[in-house]
Amino acid sequence: PIYLKLHEEVLRSSFLRGDTEEVFQRAELILKRAETVIEKSAAYEVLNLIYMRDGRYTECLDSGLKYLREIGVKIPSNPGNGALLRELVRVQFRLRGKKIIDLANLPEIQRPEIRIAQALFPSFSPAAYLARPQLLSFLLVKNISLSLKYGKGPELPVAMYYYAVIRCGIMGKIDEGRELANLALKLAEAPESRKYIGLLHYGLGILVYPWFRPLSKTVEQMDIAYRLGLRNGDLVAASSALGSYIAHGFLAGYELSSLIDKARHSVELL
């Protein structure tokens, strides 16, 4: 309904303005008036971003997992190694006979709830990274598993980035991880996926590229991620990239004065 769309726009603009009280009020209104579970997606997405921004990681995860269950995507709160291994086996089974480049030619997703689930993953996966690493590993695998089963949507580059992390960090397949990363960035240039490009540069820069690039190159990647996140209004990606720029720059031997100046100027823009 048009009135819900208007409330969603106010919700998103309130988040970008930093008006937390307005965000919670609009989210509550949307959740009350939504007639279907799919109409609740914008409220949960923005609430997760608020929880993430404020360091309320457990609330972010609980909110995201609750909504995923409502739309039929069941993910355990604390998956063990067995659950992760089973999901990896499903992915390998669905990848049989395919090359990485074939992922770009998957059919389009036909089920709206799966499209929404994949759109929600980026809003709370960082909370899993900080609070429940085992859950993060499961989420990374589950995302590409959904794409292989149901098809591609605008979030396919994110799913490919997640799987690149798994291929490099868990399975030791560095060359395949590199190929996934490069294809993810290429696909993210599409208009419908461009909003994720800051997140991709940031995530790939800290979790994938260090496997095969010198640290100084990842500093450059963080600067790109920061600028793209800022341009697209993705303040979570921009601020995260800024923090990693400082950390990687320090480890790479950058002058402290230049890092301090960069931090001051960038924080003012944020």
Side-chain angles (χ1 to χ4, degrees), residues 5 18 24 36 69 76 94 102 171 184 216 235 238 249 259 262 269:
K5 293 295 182 183
F24 279 103
T36 67
R69 293 186 189 108
R94 290 165 183 162
D102 294 334
M171 305 177 74
S216 59
L235 301 184
L259 294 176
K262 172 74 173 179
L269 290 178

Side-chain angles (χ1 to χ4, degrees), residues 135-246:
L135 174 60
L136 175 67
S137 298
F138 188 87
L139 291 174
L140 302 186
V141 179
K142 186 68 174 181
N143 204 345
I144 193 67
S145 181
L146 290 173
S147 294
L148 291 168
K149 183 175 181 180
Y150 295 105
K152 67 179 179 181
E155 292 73 28
L156 177 63
V158 179
M160 294 175 66
Y161 140 53
Y162 286 168
Y163 194 51
V165 175
I166 295 296
R167 297 302 284 181
C168 288
I170 293 182
M171 305 177 74
K173 304 290 186 179
I174 308 300
D175 289 341
E176 291 180 17
R178 187 203 319 257
E179 189 177 355
L180 281 162
N182 292 338
L183 184 57
L185 285 177
K186 181 179 179 180
L187 294 178
E189 293 294 340
E192 65 273 14
S193 301
R194 201 168 292 159
K195 67 179 181 178
Y196 295 114
I197 197 164
L199 168 67
L200 290 176
H201 276 281
Y202 164 65
L204 293 171
I206 64 169
L207 297 173
V208 176
Y209 288 145
W211 289 98
F212 50 83
R213 288 185 179 177
L215 193 61
S216 59
K217 293 294 183 182
T218 69
V219 178
E220 297 172 10
Q221 196 81 26
M222 291 304 102
D223 192 43
I224 293 171
Y226 165 75
R227 295 175 187 278
L228 289 172
L230 204 60
R231 185 191 71 185
N232 294 339
D234 188 347
L235 301 184
V236 173
S239 58
S240 299
L242 174 60
S244 293
Y245 177 95
I246 304 302

